[in-house]
Amino acid sequence: MTPPEIPAGLRARRRAAGRLPPLPCGHRDPLLCLAASPGPSTYGLTRAQLAAEVARCRVQGWSAVDLAARFGTRQAAP
């Protein structure tokens, strides 16, 4: 079984990445880095912020179903 052929564009990208200094993560090509580090998200809302956002969306005319789907609330009420 022969290995699949590496596309020319990918070979060129690897050669170009080899000429660059390493990134802080150690990779030379940013596509090889993780898009997000594993673990808890660094973005989140406090309960008060979530309640304020739900209230803001409710004022803009969002239905209870839309709020529940978007914010994962059972009743769409903070």
Side-chain angles (χ1 to χ4, degrees):
M1 181 178 225
T2 58
E5 182 66 28
I6 297 173
L10 184 56
R11 285 195 308 268
R13 184 178 182 93
R14 286 183 181 171
R15 283 193 305 271
R19 295 189 297 265
L20 297 172
L23 298 167
C25 64
H27 294 111
R28 292 180 184 266
D29 186 345
L31 289 182
L32 298 176
C33 300
L34 293 173
S37 59
S41 172
T42 57
Y43 178 80
L45 299 174
T46 64
R47 285 179 156 277
Q49 291 170 325
L50 177 61
E53 182 64 15
V54 169
R56 184 187 69 79
C57 291
R58 186 176 287 128
V59 167
Q60 290 183 346
W62 287 38
S63 71
V65 173
D66 292 336
L67 290 168
R70 173 65 176 95
F71 296 104
T73 58
R74 290 186 189 155
Q75 302 171 15

